[in-house]
Amino acid sequence: MIDNRGSRDIAGMSRMTLSDALSGISAVKLSTSDVIAEQLRRAILLGTISGGAQLKQNDVAARFGVSVAPVREALQRLIADGLAILHPNRGVTVSPTSEQDFLEIAELRALLEPHALRHSAPRLTSADLQYSEDVLSKAAQASDPLERANLHWEFHRSLYKRAERPRLLAQIGALYQGINRYLLPAWAKSGLSPGWVDSHLLIVAKIRDGYLDEACRLIVDQTDASMRRVQAHLHRKELSKKEEK
């Protein structure tokens, strides 16, 4: 077990111990850094490990029953994904979140996604669009928030994949991972917004009918609507913190 004094550093402002944050995860010894990275990623995206929390290698290794070597590899992956930061002489901390960061992600999405769609849509086949609709259906039915988030990105990726611009898609994919830290807590608190499925299906319908400008506009409108909803969630959260003081 982890010493509680070290666990408080990882808990961050939420006062949650590492064991609490990773509750439900098997303590069976793991031999791969992939699994450790994925479980830490889940905890960060769902907000059970707070932004700014310290990820001490020894604490993480003790929780998973492994040596520090696979933990070091797992933390390097989180750093590469932008979910953690390496500080000289201070170790690794979870990347902070802020309203400004969220707004920048939303702004970049509104710029890059219509651009990707304009290059991809003319090459999309009927089978491609059917696949997009099937993925969306799975996303709507998913009970696990992280699975839903992954399927949500897969839906959009499937619409942009024919753009033949791998750097562009990689950038958009990174934005989706970044925005999930804000979107998933909002989903957990309030559920999907009314019309979430229909608004996505309408994008596919516009592409299928050849109305590319309208499809691009719908993507921007969706991004704006999501931005306002998450902003409201962030403001309520901040207000709640002030009232607790």
Side-chain angles (χ1 to χ4, degrees), residues 6 29 34 69 79 87-88 104 107 115 132 140 149 174 176-177 179 188 197 200 218 235 238-240 243:
K29 288 189 176 182
D34 289 332
I79 292 168
H87 304 273
E104 183 178 3
E107 178 183 325
H115 180 67
S132 300
Y176 269 80
Q177 176 157 263
I179 210 166
V197 173
H200 284 75
L218 287 170
H235 291 167
E238 186 64 28
L239 181 61
S240 177
E243 291 175 347

Side-chain angles (χ1 to χ4, degrees), residues 23-195:
S23 62
I25 297 171
S26 173
V28 175
K29 288 189 176 182
L30 305 172
S31 59
T32 173
S33 58
D34 289 332
V35 178
I36 299 173
E38 184 58 32
Q39 298 294 358
L40 289 173
R41 183 180 292 109
R42 168 180 285 271
I44 292 170
L45 290 176
L46 294 177
T48 52
I49 298 182
S50 306
Q54 190 171 11
L55 296 172
K56 291 186 175 181
Q57 292 185 20
N58 289 338
D59 285 356
V60 177
R63 178 63 184 89
F64 284 97
V66 297
S67 68
V68 296
V71 172
R72 190 179 299 116
E73 293 177 18
L75 294 181
Q76 286 297 329
R77 288 175 190 160
L78 296 180
I79 292 168
D81 289 343
L83 295 176
I85 301 171
L86 175 62
H87 304 273
N89 304 318
R90 284 182 51 207
V92 178
T93 62
V94 177
S95 299
T97 57
S98 68
E99 184 174 354
Q100 182 57 43
D101 176 59
F102 166 71
L103 292 176
E104 183 178 3
I105 294 173
E107 178 183 325
L108 288 171
R109 282 188 59 201
L111 290 171
L112 297 182
E113 292 189 53
H115 180 67
L117 185 60
R118 288 188 183 281
H119 286 285
S120 177
R123 301 185 180 97
L124 291 172
T125 66
S126 296
D128 289 333
L129 297 178
Q130 183 60 57
Y131 172 78
S132 300
E133 291 176 333
D134 291 343
V135 169
L136 181 64
S137 177
K138 292 178 182 177
Q141 296 170 16
S143 57
D144 178 68
L146 204 55
E147 179 186 4
R148 178 189 295 154
N150 290 335
L151 289 168
H152 179 227
W153 162 232
E154 176 59 19
F155 167 80
H156 283 276
R157 190 203 67 81
S158 70
L159 297 179
Y160 310 148
K161 65 183 180 182
R162 301 293 184 191
E164 298 181 356
R165 282 164 171 75
R167 289 181 184 271
L168 176 60
L169 261 64
Q171 288 291 324
I172 297 174
L175 292 175
Y176 269 80
Q177 176 157 263
I179 210 166
N180 280 341
R181 295 186 68 187
Y182 303 93
L183 193 58
L184 290 181
W187 279 354
K189 186 73 175 179
S190 309
L192 293 175
S193 59

